[in-house]
Amino acid sequence: MRVFVTGATGWVGSAVVKDLVAAGHEVLGLTRSEKGAAALAASGAKVHRGTLSDLDSLRRGAAQSDGVIHTAFNHDFSKIVENCEEDKRAIETLGAALEGSDRPLIVTSGVALLAPGRVATEDEPPHPVSPSFPRSSEQTAAALAAQGLRASAIRLAPTVHGHGDHGFVPILIGIAREKGVSAYVGEGHNRWPAVHRLDAARVYRLALEHGTEHGPFHAIAEEGVPFKQIAEVIGRRLNIPVVAKSPEEAAEHFGWFARFAAVDCPASSERTRSQLAWRPQQPGLITDLDASAYFERGPR
């Protein structure tokens, strides 16, 4: 297949591109920079110039493809409402370009808020859109699917780890360095599901190959890693105390990240594994965190 990938030079998207190319697919990767173009060419992909806000470039990319994988999203939380609107317009534009065909569209979502406190499965409805949670990627794809488009979502773990990670774990490491302690909330029993980026990338490819109608799919390798275990590795590697914080203390210690530090959001991928014959092969979060370069140069 010829696959148009947005976010093709991003943390997850770049792994998706490499997995697709290795499996024999032709990739058209969206990028706006010379550096991104060079990275795509080096990975064996073709370069498509544009941005998420350039709807014409999205239409052209989708029109040239046999399927679309949408991994791009602007994670600048200071402009989250605007970024979510941009994401919605991009998905609608990609869907319109695929309308009337059998070509699939796969978008990116998450599991963190699906079913706090219990194990979320693929049967959970997406988290409702609200002023506090304005992202509607999965809902937009579902609306397109209701119109007959082959659209579905990959739900990522809140922790997509691996070499070069610049997500939640490096944020925790940065906070621990700054505060001089590695903290967890309460007893630290709240669980974070996790997946290695290379395992997550394979879910996208398998969903594309096996059929989006079986989605949404959960890119979850570990159902739930206790937060305290993560804090303990960080404390040991930085040689700083590991301490418990009350919810009130956590708000001051973690700042804007306190909500994520306290969330208990285990998630299953049983249906995804069965439908896609997907088996995670990479190291788990604790092994990766303890043996990787996370602590060599600090947060990235």
Side-chain angles (χ1 to χ4, degrees):
M1 298 175 66
R2 189 176 211 226
V3 188
F4 180 44
V5 180
T6 73
T9 60
W11 172 239
V12 174
S14 60
V16 171
V17 168
K18 291 178 182 178
D19 193 85
L20 288 168
V21 170
H25 298 288
E26 182 181 341
V27 175
L28 185 65
L30 181 70
T31 185
R32 62 184 177 184
S33 70
E34 291 297 334
K35 181 179 179 181
L40 284 171
S43 68
K46 296 185 181 298
V47 176
H48 183 79
R49 298 282 187 168
T51 66
L52 278 189
S53 60
D54 183 351
L55 301 185
D56 285 339
S57 74
L58 296 182
R59 291 188 191 97
R60 291 194 303 272
Q64 298 176 55
S65 72
D66 300 312
V68 177
I69 293 178
H70 175 56
T71 68
F73 188 80
N74 186 338
H75 289 92
D76 181 353
F77 288 103
S78 69
K79 302 189 299 180
I80 189 64
V81 173
E82 296 94 323
N83 295 340
C84 289
E85 284 297 323
E86 179 182 69
D87 178 60
K88 184 175 187 291
R89 286 192 299 270
I91 294 171
E92 290 173 340
T93 299
L94 293 167
L98 300 175
E99 188 176 2
S101 72
D102 196 40
R103 294 174 293 164
L105 168 64
I106 297 174
V107 307
T108 303
S109 183
V111 301
L113 300 178
L114 289 179
R118 60 182 175 83
V119 178
T121 72
E122 291 90 341
D123 292 326
E124 306 288 346
H127 189 273
V129 177
S130 68
S132 63
F133 187 83
R135 187 168 182 177
S136 61
S137 310
E138 189 171 341
Q139 292 89 334
T140 306
L144 293 171
Q147 299 169 18
L149 195 75
R150 293 182 62 205
S152 190
I154 305 294
R155 293 170 172 172
L156 292 175
T159 304
V160 181
H161 58 93
H163 181 69
D165 183 1
H166 53 269
F168 280 6
V169 170
I171 289 172
L172 282 176
I173 293 171
I175 293 172
R177 287 185 192 277
E178 178 187 351
K179 302 288 186 175
V181 297
S182 180
Y184 55 89
V185 184
E187 296 182 345
H189 293 166
N190 58 302
R191 297 152 292 177
W192 277 10
V195 66
H196 193 282
R197 67 190 287 256
L198 300 183
D199 285 324
R202 201 162 71 257
V203 177
Y204 283 88
R205 173 175 60 82
L206 292 173
L208 189 79
E209 294 172 346
H210 286 247
T212 57
E213 59 272 14
H214 301 300
F217 302 97
H218 281 193
I220 306 294
E222 296 177 278
E223 187 173 284
V225 180
F227 191 89
K228 185 178 180 181
Q229 290 186 17
I230 300 171
E232 287 172 340
V233 174
I234 293 173
R236 176 164 48 79
R237 292 298 299 266
L238 294 180
N239 195 27
I240 58 177
V242 180
V243 301
K245 296 286 185 180
S246 69
E248 294 75 22
E249 292 171 331
E252 179 179 354
H253 178 84
F254 291 106
W256 66 271
F257 195 72
R259 178 186 184 188
F260 299 103
V263 70
D264 182 41
C265 56
S268 166
S269 59
E270 183 176 342
R271 193 179 83 188
T272 296
R273 294 178 192 229
S274 175
Q275 291 176 334
L276 302 182
W278 174 66
R279 297 292 180 270
Q281 299 172 351
Q282 301 299 319
L285 174 60
I286 295 301
T287 299
D288 197 30
L289 175 60
D290 200 16
S292 73
Y294 273 96
F295 300 94
E296 293 178 3
R297 295 184 298 275
R300 289 179 284 280

